Amino acid sequence: MTYRAKSDFLNVIMQRGFLADCTDLQALDETLTQGPVTAYIGYDATAASLHVGHLLNIMLLRWFQKTGHKPVTLMGGGTTKVGDPSFRSDERPLLDDAAIQRNIDGMQQVFARFLDYGDGRAQMLNNADWLVGLNYLDFLRDIGRHFSVNRMLSFESVKSRLDREQSLSFLEFNYMILQAYDFMELYRRHGVTLQMGGSDQWGNIVNGIDLTRRVLDREVWGLTTPLLTTSDGRKMGKSAGGATWLNAEMLSPYEFWQFWRNTTDADVGRFLKLYTELPVEECDRLGALAGSEINEAKVILANHVTTLLHGADAAASAETTAREVFEQGGAGGDLEVVTVPGNALPLPVAQLLVQTGIVSSGKEAKRLVAEGGLRLNNDPVSDPQMTVDQALIGEGLKVSVGKKKHRMVQIG
């Protein structure tokens, strides 16, 4: 029988599809009904921006706050120096302190969009505060003795790596101990009683719960979300072009909007529940649409997710641009976005055409222009010597050849 949650938080996330597993669902539910709970999710600073794969758990933190509780975003200033080996085939490249701090600064921009940090309603912490100064021998004696190597080797995240006979360094092997120590320290310093994360973090979360019980004799909980794949089997947020970044300087709001507009029909209802705040019934209704109507549901999805991250103006601008391209340009489908480095401009229009992939050579591009086959922002171009600069591209330059070949050029 499906568990009926009493707390608002669990009720919401179970209805919307966030819950994969929990260490003690009933005990956590009772605690959530008794008053505000503090929970955290950890983020290692391995890149200058978070990506769409992180968005599920960011929305989880947002719902946690909206239902009356206190979220903590833990920056991995310390653990990033080690690298999480969970389900990876190789060791992460090691970053220096300056690179880690730059990445943390970039990631903070996203959290500020989704969480309210005012008056202590949410906290952003950094595990470097307690990990960097650890005394190795004291740590081994006081913390390491609580971990069984046999048990650590049995966790799927480690076992899968060893089964493939891929190297697992002693540095990486320490990661799960450090993450467990994070949970205990967060409880001790900030009263954190719940760790949340993707289901690939289950072993690390359980270690933290066990360590807190052994050392402090306190009960804490863990909760995981499913690892999402799209209906066609792709990992959420991954595409041929790489990660779908959340920072505007790494991926424009228009490209972010397009990512959601291009959602597969079968995923629309599920993604509306997970990535927007629309009522569940409305998500189900929109997800059940068919034919051309499902495309309008995708626009609603794209607008709501883009509004949360980049603001309503950015979402409206992206929709307007897309409709101009699809309806006036006759593209009748997805629009490929091409990014041009700012330092490469100005650029001859013939060279730009080659870079967009619309033509294969400069000679073909010049012939196309001479024959009147090129339009920029729907205006015909007749001069093969024309150059394209930053002012012309602006927020986006629509390049059209005939009625079916279109590209959106943006400055990267």
Side-chain angles (χ1 to χ4, degrees):
M1 186 176 72
T2 304
Y3 179 77
R4 285 176 165 270
K6 300 174 186 176
S7 61
D8 290 342
F9 174 65
L10 287 180
N11 192 39
V12 166
I13 68 166
M14 290 172 74
Q15 284 189 46
R16 302 187 80 94
F18 283 90
L19 182 62
D21 211 340
C22 181
T23 53
D24 191 336
L25 192 62
Q26 190 166 352
L28 175 61
D29 194 23
E30 291 289 344
T31 302
L32 288 165
T33 62
Q34 293 168 15
V37 168
T38 304
Y40 90 99
I41 297 179
Y43 297 87
D44 280 345
T46 54
S49 169
L50 298 163
H51 55 73
V52 163
H54 294 110
L55 196 52
L56 180 75
N57 283 335
I58 296 173
M59 288 298 295
L60 183 69
L61 288 171
R62 183 176 171 89
W63 280 115
F64 193 70
Q65 186 172 53
K66 285 171 71 73
T67 52
H69 304 285
K70 181 178 178 178
V72 170
T73 46
L74 180 66
M75 300 290 97
T79 44
T80 302
K81 296 182 178 184
V82 175
D84 185 359
S86 297
F87 299 100
R88 287 184 59 86
S89 60
D90 55 2
E91 189 171 349
R92 291 184 186 275
L94 299 180
L95 304 176
D96 61 25
D97 289 347
I100 290 172
Q101 188 56 53
R102 283 195 302 272
N103 290 346
I104 289 174
D105 292 343
M107 293 162 65
Q108 287 175 338
Q109 300 172 32
V110 172
F111 293 118
R113 297 288 312 184
F114 288 86
L115 301 175
D116 178 7
Y117 288 92
D119 299 326
R121 286 187 287 271
Q123 273 184 291
M124 183 171 289
L125 302 172
N126 188 331
N127 63 16
D129 292 347
W130 53 83
L131 293 181
V132 170
L134 282 176
N135 179 291
Y136 186 60
L137 291 178
D138 289 346
F139 184 73
L140 285 179
R141 183 194 61 203
D142 298 337
I143 304 300
R145 66 189 179 90
H146 294 291
F147 288 83
S148 161
V149 171
N150 305 58
R151 186 163 180 263
M152 292 166 73
L153 289 171
S154 72
F155 283 114
E156 188 60 34
S157 58
V158 173
K159 190 171 178 289
S160 61
R161 180 95 158 253
L162 298 178
D163 286 347
R164 294 193 299 270
E165 297 184 357
Q166 291 163 330
S167 174
L168 179 71
S169 73
F170 180 69
L171 181 70
E172 294 175 286
F173 195 56
N174 275 272
Y175 186 92
M176 63 179 71
I177 302 179
L178 295 177
Q179 187 169 327
Y181 186 73
D182 280 347
F183 198 175
M184 187 183 75
E185 279 298 299
L186 285 167
Y187 174 85
R188 186 152 49 190
R189 294 168 180 242
H190 302 281
V192 174
T193 54
L194 173 63
Q195 182 183 358
M196 303 188 291
S199 57
D200 61 334
Q201 294 298 312
W202 180 256
N204 291 332
I205 291 172
V206 169
N207 277 334
I209 292 169
D210 190 47
L211 181 65
T212 305
R213 179 183 57 79
R214 287 172 179 268
V215 177
L216 302 180
D217 193 25
R218 292 292 185 268
E219 184 180 14
V220 291
W221 297 277
L223 181 153
T224 59
T225 54
L227 290 180
L228 280 191
T229 57
T230 57
S231 58
D232 55 5
R234 287 180 292 113
K235 189 174 181 180
M236 185 61 186
K238 296 292 184 181
S239 65
T244 303
W245 301 109
L246 302 185
N247 285 34
E249 58 268 25
M250 294 181 68
L251 187 80
S252 72
Y254 177 81
E255 290 174 283
F256 182 78
W257 189 95
Q258 275 293 126
F259 171 84
W260 296 99
R261 168 59 182 81
N262 294 338
T263 297
T264 305
D265 293 2
D267 292 324
V268 173
R270 182 169 56 128
F271 287 179
L272 282 163
K273 290 178 189 174
L274 293 172
Y275 298 108
T276 80
E277 295 172 339
L278 289 171
V280 171
E281 297 78 13
E282 179 66 0
C283 297
D284 287 334
R285 184 190 73 79
L286 291 168
L289 296 175
S292 60
E293 288 185 326
I294 195 69
N295 289 330
E296 287 307 308
K298 293 177 185 180
V299 170
I300 291 170
L301 170 65
N303 282 340
H304 277 263
V305 183
T306 305
T307 296
L308 281 172
L309 179 61
H310 295 298
D313 290 346
S317 175
E319 181 184 1
T320 299
T321 301
R323 290 195 185 279
E324 287 175 354
V325 171
F326 297 152
E327 295 169 10
Q328 298 175 18
D334 299 342
L335 177 70
E336 183 179 335
V337 177
V338 178
T339 301
V340 176
N343 59 13
L345 299 171
L347 197 65
V349 70
Q351 194 173 334
L352 179 70
L353 289 177
V354 175
Q355 288 196 18
T356 63
I358 285 183
V359 297
S360 57
S361 69
K363 183 177 179 181
E364 183 185 353
K366 290 176 181 178
R367 178 185 58 77
L368 183 72
V369 175
E371 293 175 355
L374 172 66
R375 284 171 292 125
L376 299 180
N377 286 340
N378 295 325
D379 295 326
V381 175
S382 57
D383 180 8
Q385 305 304 318
M386 174 185 175
T387 59
V388 176
D389 58 17
Q390 293 198 21
L392 180 59
I393 295 177
E395 292 298 311
L397 176 67
K398 177 188 166 190
V399 179
S400 304
V401 172
K403 292 184 177 181
K404 294 185 177 180
K405 287 187 177 181
H406 304 272
R407 301 286 190 274
M408 178 61 67
V409 176
Q410 295 187 327
I411 299 171

